[in-house]
Amino acid sequence: MVTLGFMSLSTSHEQGYAAELASRTEAHQIQFVRFTPFDLSPDSMLINALSYHTPSGQWNDSTIEIPEFIYDRCFYGRDSLSKKAKPIVDWLKKYPKTTFLGYGLADKWTIQNYLQSHADLKAYLPDTSLVSGFSHIADLLMKEKACVLKPVSGGGGRGVILLEFRDKTTKATYHFGKNKQIKRFASLNALELWTKKVLLHSYMIQPYLSIQDKNGYPCDIRILLQKTKNGKWASVGKAVRKGYQYGFLSNLNGGAEILKFDEWFRSLPKMQQALLLDDIDTISTHVPQVLEEKHGPLFELGLDICLANDGKVWLFDVNSKPGRKSILSAEPNTKDFLYESPFNYCTYLMTPEAGGVIQHD
Ligand SMILES: Nc1ncnc2c1ncn2[C@@H]1O[C@H](COP(=O)(O)OP(=O)(O)O)[C@@H](O)[C@H]1O
Ligand SMILES: [Mg+2]
């Protein structure tokens, strides 16, 4: 029986998701284990993994060979654990006897450049550049009056800053989890000093796009794309995330609530509905295709798309390790499909058409 290993930086991460997957293995004839990159012993090349015992619902210690398939759910930050894990995971990605379901995407700036190269996608991407210095920020702010700074390596809305310039004052809005923070700067010098303290890592800058609905709530659409049992991409769920009133973040850890896509969609004018669906279709078709071409195989993608006030559709963000929370909440009937899909895709990867299983000696 082949093994699918769920790999995360700590076995305390995504416990619910891993247990739900583990409870479904029997039907698929796939052994399921979870482990961290640090559980791999470089001498023996064996892994001290946890394997799930269905009848008791317990995870038991077991020593295994490097699994034939790895579901990579490592979320890297700037902590020392992430720094230690990265070279191990990079080594595993090159290990010839294992296949990752998906090879996690690079940073946001690289993704932006990959997507920019596609003529049809270019039109959906906000005009983005890498921050080269404070004058770059000041120039864009004076020109646009509002812009968004976001870390090149980031996620979940962390470190995203909205700058607005009005009446000679700059207002900076950002979030610490659910807490919205606001700072005001009476001069560009004061803003410069602050950005020097805050922007310690690479940042990208974009014009601010008005994504607030008519009542002042910022909304975006999360679309989950996955490869299914025939190895083809499919759109498997949609949800709308609605952030704080008069806020700008629509991430869940920024305090957003989840709406059903269809209910939100019905409130749009008919003409806009047709155009939006058309745009979503174009984005969902080309994004996986371009990223796989430029980057390598992927299993799933979470797309953050928004409909701006002027009716224009934008693609904000692409996540190769998407969460399932918004989709499960907006479309609970996708539950079985979502929890079965890593196994279904794994089964596909075993077919001769997909390359089959690389056997251990
Ligand atoms: N250019 C922008 N204009 C307006 N809002 C934005 C812009 N960029 C990002 N946002 C808001 O910030 C959120 C987080 O940005 P995103 O690019 O998705 O980064 P993250 O990886 O942190 O989720 C978006 O979901 C959206 O609500
Ligand atoms: Mg996002």
Side-chain angles (χ1 to χ4, degrees), residues 108 156 222 241 251 304 317 319:
K108 285 187 195 298
R222 167 49 73 96
R241 304 180 303 178
N251 297 79
D304 296 346
D317 195 19
N319 305 271

Side-chain angles (χ1 to χ4, degrees), residues 108 126 148 150-151 154-158 160 162 206-211 218-220 222 241 248-251 304 316-317 319:
K108 285 187 195 298
V148 172
K150 56 180 97 165
R158 280 175 295 275
V160 181
L162 165 64
Q206 303 175 335
Y208 169 68
L209 308 162
S210 307
I211 60 164
C219 291
D220 74 2
R222 167 49 73 96
R241 304 180 303 178
F248 77 103
L249 273 195
S250 45
N251 297 79
D304 296 346
F316 268 149
D317 195 19
N319 305 271

Side-chain angles (χ1 to χ4, degrees), residues 249-278:
L249 273 195
S250 45
N251 297 79
L252 293 189
N253 37 6
E257 61 170 303
I258 301 158
L259 309 180
K260 287 190 186 305
F261 175 82
D262 289 346
E263 281 171 20
W264 172 85
F265 181 75
R266 274 198 291 276
S267 70
L268 301 175
K270 280 273 171 304
M271 180 67 180
Q272 206 163 41
Q273 289 184 349
L275 293 173
L276 176 62
L277 287 187
D278 203 42

Side-chain angles (χ1 to χ4, degrees), residues 100-301:
F100 279 50
L101 297 195
Y103 291 79
L105 286 174
D107 61 80
K108 285 187 195 298
W109 179 239
T110 311
I111 298 171
Q112 179 82 14
N113 286 308
Y114 289 158
L115 299 176
Q116 283 278 359
S117 67
H118 191 279
D120 292 350
L121 291 176
K122 213 172 164 185
Y124 297 104
L125 300 170
D127 191 5
T128 308
S129 48
L130 208 53
V131 173
S132 57
F134 180 71
S135 59
H136 182 185
I137 300 176
D139 289 350
L140 194 77
L141 185 59
M142 289 308 117
K143 183 170 157 239
E144 301 281 344
K145 306 297 176 221
C147 56
V148 172
L149 289 162
K150 56 180 97 165
V152 163
S153 305
R158 280 175 295 275
V160 181
I161 303 166
L162 165 64
L163 295 179
E164 294 167 284
F165 184 77
R166 197 180 302 151
D167 302 331
K168 297 190 180 141
T169 302
T170 306
K171 181 170 123 184
T173 312
Y174 53 99
H175 277 243
F176 276 126
K178 291 189 165 105
N179 297 322
K180 190 163 92 173
Q181 314 278 321
I182 294 179
K183 280 195 182 297
R184 288 191 167 77
F185 304 93
S187 69
L188 284 180
N189 280 347
L191 177 66
E192 181 172 10
L193 284 177
W194 184 71
T195 53
K196 280 201 171 128
K197 272 195 284 178
V198 178
L199 309 188
L200 298 176
H201 303 279
S202 296
Y203 261 75
M204 305 189 314
I205 189 163
Q206 303 175 335
Y208 169 68
L209 308 162
S210 307
I211 60 164
Q212 288 180 354
D213 66 11
K214 58 183 185 303
N215 298 316
Y217 291 93
C219 291
D220 74 2
I221 305 160
R222 167 49 73 96
I223 298 183
L224 183 64
L225 305 177
Q226 284 186 326
K227 277 201 197 138
T228 55
K229 58 183 175 206
N230 57 12
K232 304 261 184 311
W233 285 96
S235 171
V236 299
K238 288 195 210 67
V240 170
R241 304 180 303 178
K242 176 179 164 187
Y244 272 120
Q245 195 175 23
Y246 309 121
F248 77 103
L249 273 195
S250 45
N251 297 79
L252 293 189
N253 37 6
E257 61 170 303
I258 301 158
L259 309 180
K260 287 190 186 305
F261 175 82
D262 289 346
E263 281 171 20
W264 172 85
F265 181 75
R266 274 198 291 276
S267 70
L268 301 175
K270 280 273 171 304
M271 180 67 180
Q272 206 163 41
Q273 289 184 349
L275 293 173
L276 176 62
L277 287 187
D278 203 42
D279 287 334
I280 288 180
D281 191 51
T282 306
I283 295 171
S284 307
T285 307
H286 295 302
V287 168
Q289 181 198 319
V290 172
L291 293 179
E292 287 204 300
E293 233 172 75
K294 302 260 176 199
H295 169 83
L298 295 162
F299 159 53
E300 55 187 352
L301 287 170

